[in-house]
Amino acid sequence: MARVTTVPPAALILGIAGLIPFLGFAFLSVSGGDAGLSTIGLSPRTVLSTYGAVVASFLGGIRWGAAAARGGGGADYAIAIVPSLLAWAALAVPAPWDLRMLGCLVLAWGFIDQDLPRRGLVPVWLGRLRLVLSAVAGTSLLVAA
């Protein structure tokens, strides 16, 4: 794979946009606001944990897709399902452990996936972008916990 180091504008914009729910719902969770979510039976914390679990599952999909596209081994497929399973389990544990578990998962996965660019399975820019996005998202989850 080419060692492309420049982040494509669409990936950067969409990656940053994906942080908006993390930052917004973490802020609401900490501040005690609910932005009207209580009128439909939700809380910012519930929305945040659900969004965190969905994004964590997406992170596993990155590894799965990279393995499929670039000939990764069976271990890549096995590792790829870990975020989905842990995120699902996090939704079943009581507060504050749900957000703590998701926050640690998202933070750790940013580092775990750094082997992908080193092995040439994804472009270099993706590894760098993942570290930044995972740091912000994981920290948001932990702060809201």
Side-chain angles (χ1 to χ4, degrees):
M1 168 162 286
R3 302 297 289 176
V4 178
T5 58
T6 303
V7 179
L12 182 61
I13 291 166
L14 293 170
I16 292 170
L19 294 176
I20 294 169
F22 283 112
L23 295 168
F25 289 111
F27 173 77
L28 287 173
S29 295
V30 171
S31 71
D34 80 353
L37 289 171
S38 62
T39 62
I40 57 171
L42 294 174
S43 71
R45 195 176 191 299
T46 301
V47 174
L48 179 62
S49 65
T50 304
Y51 184 67
V54 169
V55 169
S57 292
F58 174 79
L59 298 180
I62 293 171
R63 181 173 290 267
W64 187 284
R70 300 289 178 198
D76 284 312
Y77 294 112
I79 293 168
I81 66 168
V82 170
S84 296
L85 294 174
L86 291 176
W88 177 59
L91 292 176
V93 300
W97 295 102
D98 56 344
L99 293 181
R100 289 177 182 168
M101 191 171 166
L102 288 166
C104 290
L105 172 61
V106 171
L107 283 171
W109 220 258
F111 289 103
I112 289 168
D113 273 354
Q114 291 306 301
D115 74 307
L116 297 175
R118 281 193 297 272
R119 293 170 44 210
L121 295 176
V122 300
V124 172
W125 64 262
L126 183 56
R128 293 178 183 158
L129 181 62
R130 280 290 316 289
L131 279 177
V132 173
L133 297 177
S134 290
V136 174
T139 301
S140 296
L141 289 161
L142 291 172
V143 166

